[in-house]
Amino acid sequence: MKRISVSIIPRGLLFIIFSLFFSSAGAQERPKLVVGIVVDQMRWDYLWRYYDKWDESGMKRLLDEGYSCNNCLINYVPTVTSIGHTSAYTGTTPAFHGICGNNFYLDGRAVGCVNDTTVQTVGSDTQKGQSSPHRLLATTIGDQLRLHTDFRSKVIGVSFKDRAAILPAGRSANAAYWLDNKRGCFVTSTYYMQELPDYAKEVNAQMAKNKELKKVGSDVALYPICGHLTTDMAIAAMKGENLGRGEATDMLCVSYSQTDAIGHKWSTRGEHTDGAYMGLDEDLKRLLAALDEQVGHGNYLLFLTADHGAAHNWKYMQDHRLGGGKWLYADLIKQGEAYVTEMLGNSKPVINDILDFRVYLNHQAIIDQDLDVDAVKGCLVDFFSQAPHVVFAVDYKYLRTSSLPERLLNMAAMGYHPRRSGDILIITEPNYYMFGQWSSPVGTTHGSWNPYDAHIPLLFYGWHVQHGETSREVHITDIAPTVCQMLHIQQPNACTGEAILELRDK
């Protein structure tokens, strides 16, 4: 056989041949678009509570055609919005991604998880846009996708809440949009851009005609509107950015927050909660139809999960002889301060706050009074351990030598960041929650380790996903490595989860 000498092939043609060979050899089949959906405060059992009411083209489509992880648990405490969104997309927990609550203390200073005064609002004249992912320490699925494609992939986040749009999309996102309910429009920040794109302006122009929107904030019953508007904006961004139509895989992160607002106001039962989830089903139906039109059925990979669940209202539980009640943390702060003063003789308060069952100490006040911080913590651990309806009170510093059961110990450790998570963790009896923090008398809240807060839905649908289900225990941190493995890209840089292998088709 006669060999052809490489030297006689023109250099330009040789370059083309090698480029085609290596590009095809290194190419991996991927979906055109990845869609992540988080439903704020959605308990796992809602999937089946409303199954007969779901539309065939909405949530029921995901259940009947997709893959359901029926035992997906949150593997850290506390179980709150910002942490859940971040953990789903980073594949890790507050110990590594650093988002330790919607609000927390950083170096003794109270901060919001995404508040950023170094950036300005784009889209309105309020401060609602002064937010960014600057406190996020780990990469997300979208960040890894952008890295892998040399930033040719587009990643967009959309939600009613700023943190729910910003944190899933990650630090390198092309855009994140959230609602300014003071002005009734979507905004972003100068972290992403200097001016809203035309498609966002058009959504805002249509919103300006909606008189009901002006009442949102004062009338929680109208919050389903926010879900419809989130869907409007998600579809507009998908079409305006041509997501799923380029050479590189894109990502759209959508979070529905209206369900959380309604749950805090009216809890887990009743017409308002039922209406919220029927409205969500309409939004999913519309979003799926738009995805089919824009990207094509089977060309997108979608997952749906929640950032946390919710407890049943304490009075509802008591009325049915099921226990539970209000945990009046504000009263306990005063009593705890008095106990420390009695034991150590201090004159100034030593507690900054209790957030999500975590006691944040005022370390500067402790230093100024020449107190020993371990002695202060010891006093407070003793006090809270004896407080009504408290099962455990643990100094984070001595977590590993505490009497916490292994599951709770691991959840506490994975939820703890030494500079951001406070000093003492409190575990209450089941269904005792922090009354007055984000909940109304007939509403509810969340934050604990218990299944009602930690057992969440997890559905995968679309590209290369077989229909089926598993009851194997998986975790919220398993979402990111699963998606990254299906995309053949590296996991986020602090990922501690494990890929769910059985959902992929053969």
Side-chain angles (χ1 to χ4, degrees):
M1 179 177 178
K2 185 176 181 181
R3 297 180 181 274
I4 300 175
S5 173
V6 173
S7 63
I8 66 173
I9 301 177
R11 183 173 297 179
L13 180 59
L14 185 65
F15 174 79
I16 293 173
I17 292 171
F18 277 115
S19 297
L20 289 172
F21 174 78
F22 284 112
S23 63
S24 62
Q28 295 288 348
E29 185 184 4
R30 293 190 180 91
K32 291 290 187 180
L33 180 66
V34 179
V35 182
I37 299 174
V38 178
V39 183
D40 206 324
Q41 204 184 118
M42 184 176 184
R43 294 164 52 108
W44 172 80
D45 57 345
Y46 287 172
L47 288 176
W48 310 105
R49 175 175 173 79
Y50 296 115
Y51 181 81
D52 292 338
K53 298 179 180 179
W54 296 132
D55 192 282
E56 298 288 343
S57 300
M59 186 74 80
K60 189 174 286 189
R61 174 177 169 183
L62 302 183
L63 284 164
D64 290 351
E65 299 179 28
Y67 192 90
S68 178
C69 297
N70 294 326
N71 194 21
C72 182
L73 302 176
I74 292 174
N75 53 344
Y76 53 80
V77 285
T79 47
V80 298
T81 296
S82 60
I83 303 178
H85 282 81
T86 309
S87 297
Y89 284 86
T90 62
T92 193
T93 67
F96 300 104
H97 62 56
I99 300 300
C100 296
N102 300 336
N103 303 283
F104 51 90
Y105 281 76
L106 178 59
D107 297 329
R109 182 171 59 92
V111 298
C113 61
V114 294
N115 290 357
D116 186 353
T117 57
T118 70
V119 299
Q120 301 303 314
T121 302
V122 176
S124 82
D125 59 355
T126 74
Q127 296 179 345
K128 287 286 187 175
Q130 289 192 290
S131 301
S132 81
H134 68 298
R135 291 194 173 96
L136 176 60
L137 303 179
T139 59
T140 62
I141 301 169
D143 289 331
Q144 294 300 136
L145 184 60
R146 298 220 342 121
L147 277 167
H148 189 85
T149 62
D150 294 329
F151 300 93
R152 289 179 290 113
S153 295
K154 292 182 179 179
V155 177
I156 309 288
V158 179
S159 181
F160 164 67
K161 296 179 181 179
D162 54 358
R163 55 185 175 268
I166 290 168
L167 296 170
R171 294 176 66 100
S172 69
N174 299 85
Y177 304 104
W178 55 95
L179 197 63
D180 179 348
N181 59 356
K182 288 185 176 181
R183 294 291 181 266
C185 62
F186 278 97
V187 297
T188 187
S189 81
T190 51
Y191 181 90
Y192 303 99
M193 63 190 72
Q194 299 298 314
E195 184 180 1
L196 287 177
D198 289 342
Y199 63 80
K201 292 178 180 178
E202 177 59 28
V203 170
N204 284 344
Q206 293 301 315
M207 288 171 60
K209 302 175 184 178
N210 190 335
K211 296 180 180 179
E212 291 289 281
L213 184 58
K214 296 179 181 179
K215 302 177 185 178
V216 171
S218 59
D219 187 352
V220 181
L222 295 173
Y223 265 83
I225 293 175
C226 298
H228 307 331
L229 297 174
T230 297
T231 306
D232 291 344
M233 188 61 182
I235 293 173
M238 178 174 61
K239 293 181 177 180
E241 299 284 354
N242 279 318
L243 300 184
R245 290 189 170 182
E247 293 183 3
T249 299
D250 298 318
M251 186 164 193
L252 178 64
C253 310
V254 184
S255 178
Y256 289 103
S257 304
Q258 72 279 3
T259 45
D260 185 68
I262 289 170
H264 282 298
K265 178 67 175 179
W266 284 292
S267 191
T268 59
R269 294 291 185 266
E271 60 176 320
H272 294 293
T273 300
D274 293 347
Y277 282 92
M278 293 304 96
L280 170 69
D281 196 35
E282 295 175 12
D283 292 325
L284 290 176
K285 177 180 177 180
R286 193 154 57 94
L287 181 61
L288 288 169
L291 287 165
D292 290 343
E293 178 185 357
Q294 172 80 5
V295 188
H297 185 270
N299 290 331
Y300 55 90
L301 170 64
L302 180 149
F303 67 83
L304 181 146
T305 190
D307 52 350
H308 54 75
H312 294 305
N313 175 263
W314 68 274
K315 186 69 167 54
Y316 175 86
M317 293 291 281
Q318 287 189 357
D319 288 347
H320 291 83
R321 298 180 294 179
L322 292 170
K326 298 180 288 186
W327 194 67
L328 302 174
Y329 69 100
D331 293 344
L332 290 175
I333 291 177
K334 297 176 184 177
Q335 295 168 21
E337 291 281 12
Y339 184 79
V340 174
T341 297
E342 178 184 350
M343 300 300 294
L344 301 180
N346 60 299
S347 58
K348 296 180 180 179
V350 294
I351 300 175
N352 270 329
D353 208 344
I354 297 180
L355 298 174
D356 307 317
F357 298 102
R358 298 164 301 175
V359 181
Y360 285 84
L361 297 182
N362 186 332
H363 285 260
Q364 189 59 53
I366 293 172
I367 293 171
D368 291 344
Q369 298 177 88
D370 294 324
L371 298 176
D372 180 75
V373 67
D374 283 342
V376 172
K377 288 194 290 184
C379 284
L380 288 171
V381 167
D382 289 343
F383 168 78
F384 284 110
S385 295
Q386 300 173 55
H389 310 297
V390 173
V391 183
F392 298 101
V394 181
D395 181 349
Y396 271 120
K397 183 178 178 180
Y398 302 108
L399 191 61
R400 288 295 176 186
T401 58
S402 72
S403 59
L404 276 181
E406 184 176 1
R407 177 180 282 272
L408 294 189
L409 190 152
N410 290 333
M411 292 178 75
M414 294 305 285
Y416 174 64
H417 188 284
R419 293 179 59 198
R420 302 182 176 195
S421 295
D423 301 274
I424 297 169
L425 174 67
I426 296 169
I427 304 291
T428 61
E429 294 172 2
N431 224 92
Y432 277 85
Y433 54 79
M434 297 181 67
F435 185 76
Q437 191 177 55
W438 311 113
S439 62
S440 76
V442 295
T444 188
T445 190
H446 47 85
S448 75
W449 69 272
N450 306 75
Y452 47 78
D453 282 345
H455 188 191
I456 56 175
L458 176 56
L459 306 174
F460 290 89
Y461 174 83
W463 184 84
H464 284 200
V465 174
Q466 66 173 340
H467 173 56
E469 61 181 12
T470 181
S471 293
R472 177 174 70 85
E473 181 177 322
V474 301
H475 301 124
I476 191 171
T477 50
D478 296 336
I479 297 171
T482 300
V483 173
C484 289
Q485 184 174 84
M486 294 186 74
L487 296 179
H488 300 285
I489 64 175
Q490 183 60 274
Q491 299 174 351
N493 61 10
C495 185
T496 56
E498 299 181 2
I500 304 167
L501 302 176
E502 53 265 48
L503 68 88
R504 182 160 182 158
D505 61 10
K506 307 302 180 186

